[in-house]
Amino acid sequence: MAQFYCLSVLLSILCGLILIYGQDEGFGSDDFEEGTEKKSIPGLEKIQEGISGESLFANPTFRLVCGALCFVTGFVIFFVPYHGISVIGDLIPSFACLFAGATVLLGYFEEKSDSFVLPEVLDNALFANKLYIGIAAILIGVVHFILPGVPLL
């Protein structure tokens, strides 16, 4: 279905951007001490300036809605691919949506709840690698947009 194809592309890219730029304790906060300045990605200084601070990606409601929609869309496109064979038709984009959506959702719940504690395995797997999950979700979303009918993509 074309609707879920468009949603999977859009939401995987959005959740990837949220994982990279959106959360305060996210990208690189452990790598820098208080007195040092964060390094910027070459060629993307203007985008980073616009995204930093109080942006849409840091809004908790936006993160909750995008994470939930991305997770549900990933689950649906696992069984209803755009073109191709069921289950393996959109396997990689489905996993990208599931991982990105789960990471954004669990980050939201961990931030908002005092009693919500993730098992250490999930914490190490998702939050320690959220930069890589975000980059992978963006790349998979772009490749899925360019090559919609390829099996596994």
Side-chain angles (χ1 to χ4, degrees), residues 57-106:
F57 297 137
N59 185 345
T61 307
F62 183 75
R63 288 193 329 233
L64 175 67
V65 170
C66 280
L69 285 175
C70 189
F71 187 78
V72 169
T73 302
F75 185 74
V76 169
I77 66 169
F78 185 73
F79 295 108
V80 184
Y82 180 56
H83 285 296
I85 308 162
S86 290
V87 179
I88 64 166
D90 288 337
L91 186 66
I92 295 173
S94 174
F95 283 150
C97 284
L98 286 171
F99 281 117
T103 307
V104 171
L105 273 177
L106 291 174

Short mmCIF file of all heavy atoms in Angstrom, two decimals, residues 57-106:
data_model
loop_
_atom_site.label_atom_id
_atom_site.label_comp_id
_atom_site.label_asym_id
_atom_site.label_seq_id
_atom_site.Cartn_x
_atom_site.Cartn_y
_atom_site.Cartn_z
N PHE A 57 12.26 18.84 17.13
CA PHE A 57 12.76 17.51 17.44
C PHE A 57 12.96 17.29 18.94
O PHE A 57 13.06 16.16 19.38
CB PHE A 57 14.07 17.24 16.71
CG PHE A 57 13.93 17.24 15.21
CD1 PHE A 57 14.85 17.88 14.43
CD2 PHE A 57 12.86 16.62 14.60
CE1 PHE A 57 14.74 17.88 13.05
CE2 PHE A 57 12.73 16.62 13.22
CZ PHE A 57 13.67 17.25 12.45
N ALA A 58 13.05 18.36 19.72
CA ALA A 58 13.19 18.23 21.17
C ALA A 58 11.83 18.27 21.88
O ALA A 58 11.77 18.05 23.07
CB ALA A 58 14.08 19.34 21.70
N ASN A 59 10.77 18.54 21.14
CA ASN A 59 9.43 18.60 21.73
C ASN A 59 8.98 17.20 22.14
O ASN A 59 8.93 16.29 21.30
CB ASN A 59 8.47 19.19 20.70
CG ASN A 59 7.08 19.42 21.23
OD1 ASN A 59 6.71 18.91 22.29
ND2 ASN A 59 6.32 20.20 20.50
N PRO A 60 8.62 17.00 23.41
CA PRO A 60 8.25 15.65 23.88
C PRO A 60 7.02 15.07 23.19
O PRO A 60 6.98 13.88 22.89
CB PRO A 60 7.99 15.84 25.37
CG PRO A 60 8.62 17.11 25.73
CD PRO A 60 8.68 17.95 24.51
N THR A 61 6.03 15.89 22.91
CA THR A 61 4.82 15.39 22.24
C THR A 61 5.12 14.95 20.82
O THR A 61 4.64 13.91 20.37
CB THR A 61 3.73 16.47 22.24
OG1 THR A 61 3.52 16.93 23.57
CG2 THR A 61 2.43 15.94 21.67
N PHE A 62 5.93 15.72 20.13
CA PHE A 62 6.32 15.37 18.76
C PHE A 62 7.10 14.06 18.75
O PHE A 62 6.89 13.20 17.90
CB PHE A 62 7.15 16.50 18.15
CG PHE A 62 7.55 16.27 16.72
CD1 PHE A 62 6.63 16.39 15.70
CD2 PHE A 62 8.85 15.93 16.40
CE1 PHE A 62 6.99 16.17 14.38
CE2 PHE A 62 9.23 15.71 15.09
CZ PHE A 62 8.29 15.84 14.08
N ARG A 63 8.01 13.89 19.72
CA ARG A 63 8.78 12.64 19.81
C ARG A 63 7.88 11.45 20.10
O ARG A 63 8.07 10.37 19.53
CB ARG A 63 9.86 12.76 20.88
CG ARG A 63 10.98 13.66 20.49
CD ARG A 63 12.16 13.52 21.41
NE ARG A 63 11.80 13.17 22.77
CZ ARG A 63 12.18 13.82 23.85
NH1 ARG A 63 12.95 14.87 23.73
NH2 ARG A 63 11.83 13.43 25.05
N LEU A 64 6.91 11.63 20.98
CA LEU A 64 6.00 10.54 21.32
C LEU A 64 5.18 10.12 20.10
O LEU A 64 5.07 8.93 19.78
CB LEU A 64 5.07 10.95 22.46
CG LEU A 64 3.97 9.96 22.83
CD1 LEU A 64 4.59 8.71 23.44
CD2 LEU A 64 2.99 10.59 23.79
N VAL A 65 4.61 11.09 19.40
CA VAL A 65 3.76 10.77 18.24
C VAL A 65 4.59 10.15 17.12
O VAL A 65 4.19 9.13 16.54
CB VAL A 65 3.03 12.05 17.76
CG1 VAL A 65 2.34 11.82 16.43
CG2 VAL A 65 2.02 12.50 18.80
N CYS A 66 5.76 10.71 16.81
CA CYS A 66 6.60 10.16 15.75
C CYS A 66 7.10 8.77 16.10
O CYS A 66 7.12 7.87 15.25
CB CYS A 66 7.78 11.07 15.47
SG CYS A 66 7.36 12.45 14.43
N GLY A 67 7.51 8.56 17.34
CA GLY A 67 7.99 7.25 17.75
C GLY A 67 6.90 6.19 17.68
O GLY A 67 7.13 5.08 17.19
N ALA A 68 5.70 6.53 18.15
CA ALA A 68 4.59 5.57 18.13
C ALA A 68 4.18 5.26 16.70
O ALA A 68 3.98 4.09 16.34
CB ALA A 68 3.41 6.11 18.92
N LEU A 69 4.04 6.29 15.87
CA LEU A 69 3.66 6.06 14.47
C LEU A 69 4.71 5.27 13.72
O LEU A 69 4.38 4.41 12.89
CB LEU A 69 3.39 7.40 13.77
CG LEU A 69 2.09 8.10 14.12
CD1 LEU A 69 2.03 9.46 13.44
CD2 LEU A 69 0.90 7.26 13.74
N CYS A 70 5.98 5.56 13.97
CA CYS A 70 7.06 4.85 13.29
C CYS A 70 7.06 3.38 13.70
O CYS A 70 7.22 2.50 12.85
CB CYS A 70 8.39 5.50 13.62
SG CYS A 70 9.76 4.89 12.65
N PHE A 71 6.88 3.10 14.98
CA PHE A 71 6.86 1.72 15.44
C PHE A 71 5.69 0.95 14.85
O PHE A 71 5.84 -0.17 14.35
CB PHE A 71 6.80 1.67 16.98
CG PHE A 71 6.95 0.30 17.54
CD1 PHE A 71 8.19 -0.28 17.62
CD2 PHE A 71 5.85 -0.41 17.96
CE1 PHE A 71 8.34 -1.56 18.14
CE2 PHE A 71 5.98 -1.69 18.48
CZ PHE A 71 7.23 -2.26 18.56
N VAL A 72 4.50 1.55 14.84
CA VAL A 72 3.31 0.89 14.28
C VAL A 72 3.46 0.70 12.77
O VAL A 72 3.13 -0.35 12.23
CB VAL A 72 2.03 1.68 14.63
CG1 VAL A 72 0.83 1.18 13.85
CG2 VAL A 72 1.77 1.61 16.12
N THR A 73 3.99 1.71 12.09
CA THR A 73 4.20 1.61 10.65
C THR A 73 5.21 0.51 10.32
O THR A 73 5.03 -0.25 9.37
CB THR A 73 4.66 2.94 10.07
OG1 THR A 73 3.69 3.94 10.36
CG2 THR A 73 4.86 2.87 8.57
N GLY A 74 6.26 0.40 11.11
CA GLY A 74 7.25 -0.66 10.90
C GLY A 74 6.63 -2.04 11.07
O GLY A 74 6.96 -2.97 10.34
N PHE A 75 5.75 -2.16 12.05
CA PHE A 75 5.07 -3.44 12.26
C PHE A 75 4.14 -3.77 11.10
O PHE A 75 4.07 -4.91 10.64
CB PHE A 75 4.29 -3.40 13.58
CG PHE A 75 3.66 -4.70 13.96
CD1 PHE A 75 4.44 -5.74 14.43
CD2 PHE A 75 2.30 -4.89 13.82
CE1 PHE A 75 3.86 -6.95 14.77
CE2 PHE A 75 1.71 -6.09 14.16
CZ PHE A 75 2.50 -7.13 14.64
N VAL A 76 3.42 -2.77 10.58
CA VAL A 76 2.47 -3.00 9.49
C VAL A 76 3.19 -3.32 8.18
O VAL A 76 2.79 -4.25 7.47
CB VAL A 76 1.52 -1.79 9.32
CG1 VAL A 76 0.71 -1.89 8.04
CG2 VAL A 76 0.60 -1.67 10.52
N ILE A 77 4.25 -2.58 7.86
CA ILE A 77 4.91 -2.84 6.57
C ILE A 77 5.70 -4.14 6.59
O ILE A 77 6.14 -4.61 5.54
CB ILE A 77 5.80 -1.68 6.10
CG1 ILE A 77 7.00 -1.47 7.02
CG2 ILE A 77 5.01 -0.42 5.93
CD1 ILE A 77 8.03 -0.51 6.47
N PHE A 78 5.89 -4.72 7.77
CA PHE A 78 6.50 -6.05 7.84
C PHE A 78 5.59 -7.07 7.17
O PHE A 78 6.06 -8.01 6.53
CB PHE A 78 6.75 -6.42 9.30
CG PHE A 78 7.48 -7.71 9.47
CD1 PHE A 78 8.83 -7.80 9.18
CD2 PHE A 78 6.83 -8.84 9.92
CE1 PHE A 78 9.52 -8.99 9.33
CE2 PHE A 78 7.50 -10.04 10.09
CZ PHE A 78 8.85 -10.11 9.79
N PHE A 79 4.28 -6.89 7.29
CA PHE A 79 3.32 -7.85 6.74
C PHE A 79 2.67 -7.39 5.43
O PHE A 79 2.14 -8.21 4.69
CB PHE A 79 2.22 -8.14 7.77
CG PHE A 79 2.74 -8.82 8.99
CD1 PHE A 79 2.83 -8.15 10.18
CD2 PHE A 79 3.17 -10.14 8.94
CE1 PHE A 79 3.33 -8.77 11.31
CE2 PHE A 79 3.67 -10.77 10.06
CZ PHE A 79 3.75 -10.08 11.25
N VAL A 80 2.67 -6.09 5.15
CA VAL A 80 2.03 -5.56 3.95
C VAL A 80 3.06 -4.72 3.19
O VAL A 80 3.11 -3.51 3.33
CB VAL A 80 0.80 -4.68 4.30
CG1 VAL A 80 0.10 -4.23 3.04
CG2 VAL A 80 -0.14 -5.42 5.21
N PRO A 81 3.92 -5.34 2.37
CA PRO A 81 4.94 -4.58 1.65
C PRO A 81 4.34 -3.78 0.51
O PRO A 81 3.24 -4.06 0.03
CB PRO A 81 5.88 -5.65 1.13
CG PRO A 81 5.02 -6.84 0.98
CD PRO A 81 4.01 -6.77 2.09
N TYR A 82 5.08 -2.77 0.06
CA TYR A 82 4.62 -1.93 -1.05
C TYR A 82 4.60 -2.73 -2.35
O TYR A 82 3.61 -2.76 -3.05
CB TYR A 82 5.55 -0.72 -1.18
CG TYR A 82 5.17 0.22 -2.29
CD1 TYR A 82 3.90 0.77 -2.35
CD2 TYR A 82 6.07 0.54 -3.28
CE1 TYR A 82 3.56 1.63 -3.37
CE2 TYR A 82 5.74 1.41 -4.29
CZ TYR A 82 4.48 1.94 -4.34
OH TYR A 82 4.13 2.79 -5.35
N HIS A 83 5.68 -3.36 -2.69
CA HIS A 83 5.77 -4.28 -3.82
C HIS A 83 6.56 -5.48 -3.34
O HIS A 83 7.47 -5.35 -2.55
CB HIS A 83 6.52 -3.67 -5.00
CG HIS A 83 5.75 -2.66 -5.76
ND1 HIS A 83 4.62 -2.95 -6.46
CD2 HIS A 83 5.96 -1.32 -5.94
CE1 HIS A 83 4.16 -1.86 -7.04
NE2 HIS A 83 4.96 -0.85 -6.73
N GLY A 84 6.20 -6.63 -3.80
CA GLY A 84 7.04 -7.77 -3.48
C GLY A 84 6.37 -8.79 -2.60
O GLY A 84 5.15 -8.82 -2.44
N ILE A 85 7.19 -9.62 -2.02
CA ILE A 85 6.75 -10.78 -1.26
C ILE A 85 6.41 -10.34 0.17
O ILE A 85 7.11 -9.53 0.76
CB ILE A 85 7.88 -11.83 -1.23
CG1 ILE A 85 8.34 -12.12 -2.66
CG2 ILE A 85 7.44 -13.09 -0.54
CD1 ILE A 85 9.69 -12.77 -2.75
N SER A 86 5.35 -10.92 0.72
CA SER A 86 5.01 -10.62 2.10
C SER A 86 6.14 -11.04 3.03
O SER A 86 6.89 -11.96 2.74
CB SER A 86 3.74 -11.35 2.51
OG SER A 86 2.64 -10.79 1.85
N VAL A 87 6.27 -10.38 4.12
CA VAL A 87 7.25 -10.56 5.18
C VAL A 87 8.65 -10.13 4.75
O VAL A 87 9.26 -9.33 5.43
CB VAL A 87 7.25 -11.98 5.78
CG1 VAL A 87 8.30 -12.12 6.86
CG2 VAL A 87 5.89 -12.34 6.33
N ILE A 88 9.17 -10.60 3.63
CA ILE A 88 10.52 -10.17 3.26
C ILE A 88 10.51 -9.02 2.26
O ILE A 88 11.57 -8.56 1.87
CB ILE A 88 11.37 -11.34 2.72
CG1 ILE A 88 10.80 -11.88 1.42
CG2 ILE A 88 11.55 -12.41 3.74
CD1 ILE A 88 11.74 -12.79 0.67
N GLY A 89 9.35 -8.54 1.86
CA GLY A 89 9.28 -7.48 0.86
C GLY A 89 9.92 -6.18 1.33
O GLY A 89 10.71 -5.59 0.63
N ASP A 90 9.59 -5.72 2.50
CA ASP A 90 10.14 -4.49 3.07
C ASP A 90 10.81 -4.80 4.40
O ASP A 90 10.61 -4.11 5.39
CB ASP A 90 9.03 -3.45 3.28
CG ASP A 90 8.54 -2.86 1.98
OD1 ASP A 90 9.29 -2.88 0.99
OD2 ASP A 90 7.41 -2.35 1.96
N LEU A 91 11.64 -5.81 4.44
CA LEU A 91 12.23 -6.28 5.69
C LEU A 91 13.15 -5.25 6.34
O LEU A 91 12.99 -4.93 7.52
CB LEU A 91 12.99 -7.58 5.44
CG LEU A 91 13.54 -8.28 6.67
CD1 LEU A 91 12.38 -8.77 7.53
CD2 LEU A 91 14.41 -9.44 6.26
N ILE A 92 14.08 -4.71 5.59
CA ILE A 92 15.04 -3.77 6.17
C ILE A 92 14.36 -2.46 6.57
O ILE A 92 14.60 -1.96 7.67
CB ILE A 92 16.23 -3.55 5.20
CG1 ILE A 92 17.00 -4.87 5.06
CG2 ILE A 92 17.16 -2.46 5.71
CD1 ILE A 92 18.08 -4.84 4.02
N PRO A 93 13.49 -1.85 5.73
CA PRO A 93 12.78 -0.64 6.20
C PRO A 93 11.88 -0.91 7.40
O PRO A 93 11.73 -0.05 8.26
CB PRO A 93 11.97 -0.21 4.98
CG PRO A 93 12.67 -0.78 3.83
CD PRO A 93 13.26 -2.06 4.30
N SER A 94 11.31 -2.10 7.46
CA SER A 94 10.48 -2.45 8.61
C SER A 94 11.30 -2.48 9.89
O SER A 94 10.90 -1.92 10.91
CB SER A 94 9.82 -3.80 8.37
OG SER A 94 9.12 -4.22 9.51
N PHE A 95 12.46 -3.12 9.84
CA PHE A 95 13.33 -3.16 11.02
C PHE A 95 13.86 -1.78 11.37
O PHE A 95 14.01 -1.45 12.55
CB PHE A 95 14.48 -4.14 10.82
CG PHE A 95 14.09 -5.57 10.96
CD1 PHE A 95 14.74 -6.56 10.25
CD2 PHE A 95 13.05 -5.95 11.80
CE1 PHE A 95 14.39 -7.89 10.38
CE2 PHE A 95 12.68 -7.28 11.93
CZ PHE A 95 13.35 -8.25 11.23
N ALA A 96 14.14 -0.96 10.36
CA ALA A 96 14.60 0.41 10.64
C ALA A 96 13.52 1.20 11.37
O ALA A 96 13.81 1.91 12.34
CB ALA A 96 14.98 1.11 9.34
N CYS A 97 12.28 1.08 10.90
CA CYS A 97 11.17 1.77 11.58
C CYS A 97 10.95 1.22 12.99
O CYS A 97 10.71 1.98 13.92
CB CYS A 97 9.88 1.65 10.77
SG CYS A 97 9.81 2.71 9.34
N LEU A 98 11.02 -0.09 13.14
CA LEU A 98 10.81 -0.69 14.45
C LEU A 98 11.89 -0.24 15.45
O LEU A 98 11.57 0.16 16.58
CB LEU A 98 10.78 -2.21 14.35
CG LEU A 98 9.53 -2.83 13.74
CD1 LEU A 98 9.72 -4.32 13.51
CD2 LEU A 98 8.32 -2.59 14.63
N PHE A 99 13.15 -0.30 15.05
CA PHE A 99 14.24 0.08 15.96
C PHE A 99 14.22 1.58 16.25
O PHE A 99 14.39 1.99 17.40
CB PHE A 99 15.59 -0.33 15.40
CG PHE A 99 15.92 -1.77 15.60
CD1 PHE A 99 16.10 -2.61 14.53
CD2 PHE A 99 16.05 -2.28 16.88
CE1 PHE A 99 16.40 -3.95 14.72
CE2 PHE A 99 16.35 -3.62 17.08
CZ PHE A 99 16.52 -4.45 15.99
N ALA A 100 14.04 2.41 15.22
CA ALA A 100 14.03 3.86 15.43
C ALA A 100 12.82 4.27 16.28
O ALA A 100 12.95 5.07 17.21
CB ALA A 100 14.02 4.60 14.09
N GLY A 101 11.66 3.73 15.96
CA GLY A 101 10.46 4.05 16.75
C GLY A 101 10.56 3.59 18.18
O GLY A 101 10.19 4.31 19.11
N ALA A 102 11.09 2.39 18.40
CA ALA A 102 11.25 1.87 19.76
C ALA A 102 12.25 2.70 20.55
O ALA A 102 12.03 2.99 21.73
CB ALA A 102 11.67 0.41 19.72
N THR A 103 13.32 3.11 19.92
CA THR A 103 14.32 3.91 20.62
C THR A 103 13.76 5.28 21.01
O THR A 103 13.98 5.75 22.13
CB THR A 103 15.58 4.08 19.74
OG1 THR A 103 16.04 2.80 19.33
CG2 THR A 103 16.68 4.79 20.48
N VAL A 104 13.02 5.91 20.11
CA VAL A 104 12.42 7.21 20.42
C VAL A 104 11.36 7.06 21.51
O VAL A 104 11.32 7.85 22.46
CB VAL A 104 11.82 7.85 19.14
CG1 VAL A 104 10.99 9.08 19.47
CG2 VAL A 104 12.93 8.22 18.17
N LEU A 105 10.51 6.04 21.41
CA LEU A 105 9.47 5.82 22.42
C LEU A 105 10.06 5.51 23.79
O LEU A 105 9.62 6.08 24.80
CB LEU A 105 8.56 4.66 22.00
CG LEU A 105 7.38 4.98 21.12
CD1 LEU A 105 6.65 3.70 20.76
CD2 LEU A 105 6.46 5.94 21.78
N LEU A 106 11.02 4.60 23.85
CA LEU A 106 11.62 4.25 25.13
C LEU A 106 12.38 5.43 25.73
O LEU A 106 12.40 5.60 26.95
CB LEU A 106 12.51 3.03 24.98
CG LEU A 106 11.78 1.72 24.68
CD1 LEU A 106 12.77 0.61 24.40
CD2 LEU A 106 10.85 1.35 25.82
#
